[in-house]
């Protein structure tokens, strides 16, 4: 059965964005005179918490002190702007196969959607940099983290994408790179392809329907046209 829609996570799945996010956080902290700096090891740990503001609050708990919630919200706004500048400056590329998969899906009449914990400006920045087109021209539906109450691993953002697609979960396939994302998609009833990314390679994906090293087209027909057997 050919799916009616493909629903993509953004960070780590469409592109290896996490280093740009980490740099944007660290530059924002330095600019604000805040004595915070996240190493790769710190950020690997922090990525277990979904959402930028939530991540900063988690770090505040780890440190035992830090800025209040209002200041964290302001820092996060500045970080989002800095991230857009970094992405616009180049150096961020789609993961192998992503552009072809989306183009092939659209050519076959399969809808493409985003269900992400990141916020809408970050999706816009990525689409402008990697497709040179606005996000609404690349994707039929965009569901972003700030539009739902509970972030991944809760199913909310995938359920929002399904509602906007007006499609049932069994007609769609989700694409994720993290365990939190996999749990979110499967909780929404979606079969899920996982392509582990730089920051998630060590996570447990044994529950995934398919685990693939990349979304290169040659690997995808089994996912898109069946048989719907689980990956070994
Ligand atoms: Mg991700």
């Amino acid at each position: 059965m050919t799916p009616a829609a493909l629903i993509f996570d953004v960070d780590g799945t469409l592109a290896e964005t996490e280093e740009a996010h980490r740099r944007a956080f660290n530059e924002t902290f330095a600019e604000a005179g805040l004595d915070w700096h996240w190493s790769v090891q710190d950020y690997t740990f922090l990525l277990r918490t979904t959402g930028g503001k939530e991540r900063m609050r988690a770090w505040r708990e780890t440190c035992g002190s830090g800025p209040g919630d209002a200041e964290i919200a302001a820092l996060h706004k500045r970080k989002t702007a800095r991230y857009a500048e970094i992405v616009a400056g180049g150096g961020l590329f789609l993961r192998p196969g992503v552009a072809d998969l989306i183009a092939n899906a659209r050519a076959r009449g399969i809808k493409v959607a985003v269900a992400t914990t990141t916020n809408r400006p970050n999706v816009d920045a990525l689409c402008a940099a990697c497709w040179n087109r606005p996000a609404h021209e690349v994707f039929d539906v965009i569901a972003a983290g700030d539009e739902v109450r509970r972030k991944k691993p809760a199913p909310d953002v995938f359920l929002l994408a399904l509602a906007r697609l007006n499609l049932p979960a069994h007609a769609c396939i989700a694409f994720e790179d993290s365990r939190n994302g996999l749990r979110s998609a499967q909780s929404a009833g979606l079969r899920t392809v996982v392509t582990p990314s730089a920051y998630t390679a060590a996570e447990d994906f044994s529950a995934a329907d398919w685990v693939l090293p990349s979304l290169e087209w040659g690997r995808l027909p089994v996912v898109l046209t069946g048989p719907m057997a689980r990956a070994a």
Side-chain angles (χ1 to χ4, degrees):
M1 185 184 81
T2 301
L6 311 182
I7 309 178
F8 294 88
D9 169 53
V10 171
D11 292 318
T13 300
L14 296 181
E16 292 276 10
T17 53
E18 300 299 3
E19 276 304 280
H21 281 294
R22 188 174 73 88
R23 182 180 151 198
F25 276 116
N26 283 333
E27 291 181 2
T28 301
F29 299 153
E31 181 190 78
L34 185 61
D35 183 23
W36 284 6
H37 184 91
W38 292 347
S39 67
V40 169
Q41 194 179 0
D42 296 333
Y43 202 58
T44 304
F45 171 76
L46 283 163
L47 282 174
R48 295 178 199 175
T49 303
T50 53
K53 291 187 284 287
E54 291 81 354
R55 218 163 276 157
M56 284 192 265
R57 290 201 288 267
W59 189 248
R60 181 180 62 195
E61 265 182 45
T62 303
C63 297
S65 66
D69 286 353
E71 196 181 339
I72 280 181
L75 284 166
H76 187 252
K77 203 171 168 188
R78 176 64 200 129
K79 178 264 165 181
T80 297
R82 182 69 197 119
Y83 176 78
E85 289 166 8
I86 292 169
V87 171
L92 193 62
F93 305 97
L94 296 174
R95 288 187 63 183
V98 168
D100 283 349
L101 172 58
I102 288 174
N104 276 313
R106 294 198 74 141
R108 286 166 166 74
I110 300 171
K111 290 198 178 316
V112 291
V114 153
T116 176
T117 289
T118 202
N119 53 27
R120 178 62 193 257
N122 290 347
V123 182
D124 292 334
L126 182 80
C127 288
C130 294
W131 275 278
N132 200 23
R133 287 161 64 197
H136 71 265
E137 287 184 11
V138 180
F139 296 100
D140 297 292
V141 158
I142 296 168
D146 285 355
E147 299 184 282
V148 293
R149 194 170 60 82
R150 297 178 307 162
K151 294 193 167 148
K152 298 175 186 178
D156 300 29
V157 76
F158 278 104
L159 293 174
L160 179 63
L162 287 168
R164 288 179 177 165
L165 286 163
N166 198 25
L167 287 169
H170 68 78
C172 306
I173 294 178
F175 294 82
E176 273 288 351
D177 74 304
S178 72
R179 183 163 160 76
N180 274 333
L182 171 64
R183 289 171 62 200
S184 172
Q186 290 190 326
S187 297
L190 288 152
R191 291 163 297 158
T192 307
V193 177
V194 174
T195 48
S197 60
Y199 271 97
T200 64
E203 295 183 1
D204 175 9
F205 297 119
S206 54
D209 296 273
W210 300 272
V211 180
L212 301 174
S214 82
L215 295 178
E216 284 165 293
W217 182 248
R219 304 177 193 278
L220 264 293
V222 69
V223 174
L224 295 182
T225 61
M228 289 302 184
R230 294 173 72 88

